[in-house]
Amino acid sequence: MKTYAIGDIQGCLEPLKMLMKKIEHDTPDARYLFAGDLVNRGPHSLETLRFVRDMGEMAVSVLGNHDLHLLAIAAGARKKERLGSLQAIFDAPDGDELIDWLRRRPLAYAESGMLLVHAGVLPQWTVEQTLMLAKEVESVLQGPDWMVFMQEMYGDQPATWQDDLTGTDRLRCIVNGLTRLRFCSEDGEMEFDAKEGLSEAPAGFIPWFDVKARQTKNDTIIFGHWSALGLLLRPDLMALDTGCVWGRQLTAVRLDDRALYQVDCQGLCTPDVF
């Protein structure tokens, strides 16, 4: 069975269906890995959640920052204002079921020697450590006190990982690394303000994947999140957020040979939440 990794969908269901039709012409029994941000900004967040959920074991999706935003609204940690296509989830008869399904998605997933995350991996972390740290947060999100954690999740501190971090600081740092990271310093200090491309790196910061001492430099990391970066394929990286919701492309890569599949999203997906 061949597996394909797909970048951020953000409620752009029609481009996703078009992309999968292309893929399934070549691979009728394809399996899919989604790099997170299934929802928000695009027009069909409810339908996208249902579509991916109904794929069952044929799909794995890690949590992205926009997915966590939806969970935070559900937990009362964010106001229900300017919800755009997220409003339909709260109005749907199966809305609670979808929220419950979403909070049980992983933050990191590994197979075939590759690691899937939404945004990045802090340079101090190995693949094994990343998976273990992700599970620490997953156990909270899937537990009875998940709403309490969502009230405490947001914040930029601590900006640097330390193995002896505890409590909310530890969990927040893990979430930020896996779902918000773009730039960091050589010693792993995270920077959250810059959202543009590589030429806009703040002074003293570099893309997380170019840190010389990165523990995962000999591994292949699949991620999305960074639409201004666009498609970047290297032996150690697959950056797959190609800005579908901004009218660019939705991208998939077949993992065994890195065959590239794309659809043009112009006119098919218009952002309604910024």
Side-chain angles (χ1 to χ4, degrees), residues 110-170:
E111 72 169 48
S112 304
M114 300 180 183
L115 177 67
L116 173 70
V117 298
H118 176 61
V121 177
L122 285 171
Q124 301 96 321
W125 298 346
T126 64
V127 169
E128 293 76 15
Q129 186 178 11
T130 301
L131 292 169
M132 288 190 296
L133 295 174
K135 286 189 180 300
E136 291 185 28
V137 179
E138 291 161 19
S139 66
V140 174
L141 289 176
Q142 296 170 21
D145 297 326
W146 73 277
M147 290 187 176
V148 175
F149 171 64
M150 299 308 296
Q151 300 284 342
E152 303 170 339
M153 181 185 70
Y154 285 98
D156 294 346
Q157 299 297 323
T160 304
W161 174 255
Q162 301 291 336
D163 287 337
D164 59 359
L165 285 173
T166 60
T168 299
D169 282 350
R170 182 179 180 89

Side-chain angles (χ1 to χ4, degrees), residues 13 15 17 53 55 58 60 64 68 77 91 100 184 229 236 261:
L13 182 58
K17 289 181 175 179
R53 177 199 61 184
M55 292 173 70
M58 300 302 289
V60 173
L68 290 172
D91 293 340
D100 189 65
C184 67
L229 175 65
D236 61 334
Y261 292 73

Side-chain angles (χ1 to χ4, degrees), residues 71-218:
L71 294 180
I73 295 170
R78 281 290 184 268
K79 294 180 180 179
K80 288 187 175 182
E81 296 176 357
R82 298 183 67 239
L83 292 187
S85 69
L86 296 183
Q87 183 64 58
I89 298 169
F90 295 104
D91 293 340
D94 58 344
D96 288 345
E97 295 174 18
L98 291 166
I99 293 293
D100 189 65
W101 175 83
L102 186 64
R103 71 183 178 92
R104 297 178 189 280
R105 298 312 95 203
L107 277 159
Y109 176 80
E111 72 169 48
S112 304
M114 300 180 183
L115 177 67
L116 173 70
V117 298
H118 176 61
V121 177
L122 285 171
Q124 301 96 321
W125 298 346
T126 64
V127 169
E128 293 76 15
Q129 186 178 11
T130 301
L131 292 169
M132 288 190 296
L133 295 174
K135 286 189 180 300
E136 291 185 28
V137 179
E138 291 161 19
S139 66
V140 174
L141 289 176
Q142 296 170 21
D145 297 326
W146 73 277
M147 290 187 176
V148 175
F149 171 64
M150 299 308 296
Q151 300 284 342
E152 303 170 339
M153 181 185 70
Y154 285 98
D156 294 346
Q157 299 297 323
T160 304
W161 174 255
Q162 301 291 336
D163 287 337
D164 59 359
L165 285 173
T166 60
T168 299
D169 282 350
R170 182 179 180 89
L171 297 176
R172 185 187 299 123
C173 194
I174 296 168
V175 167
N176 285 344
L178 293 174
T179 69
R180 296 180 63 200
L181 182 62
R182 292 185 180 92
F183 294 103
C184 67
S185 66
E186 286 284 0
D187 63 1
E189 179 187 355
M190 293 181 280
E191 198 282 338
F192 298 115
D193 293 329
K195 296 177 173 60
E196 301 304 320
L198 301 183
S199 63
E200 302 298 321
F205 294 91
I206 58 177
W208 65 266
F209 47 78
D210 283 338
V211 173
K212 293 186 178 71
R214 178 166 63 92
Q215 294 296 304
T216 54
K217 63 184 177 182
N218 294 320

Side-chain angles (χ1 to χ4, degrees), residues 30-87:
R31 184 168 167 273
Y32 296 94
L33 304 181
F34 294 101
D37 280 2
L38 296 179
V39 302
N40 209 16
R41 289 198 170 118
H44 298 117
S45 290
L46 170 62
E47 296 84 354
T48 301
L49 279 183
R50 287 173 174 163
F51 185 79
V52 176
R53 177 199 61 184
D54 291 348
M55 292 173 70
E57 294 182 356
M58 300 302 289
V60 173
S61 182
V62 295
L63 287 167
N65 57 303
H66 287 284
D67 305 316
L68 290 172
H69 175 65
L70 172 58
L71 294 180
I73 295 170
R78 281 290 184 268
K79 294 180 180 179
K80 288 187 175 182
E81 296 176 357
R82 298 183 67 239
L83 292 187
S85 69
L86 296 183
Q87 183 64 58

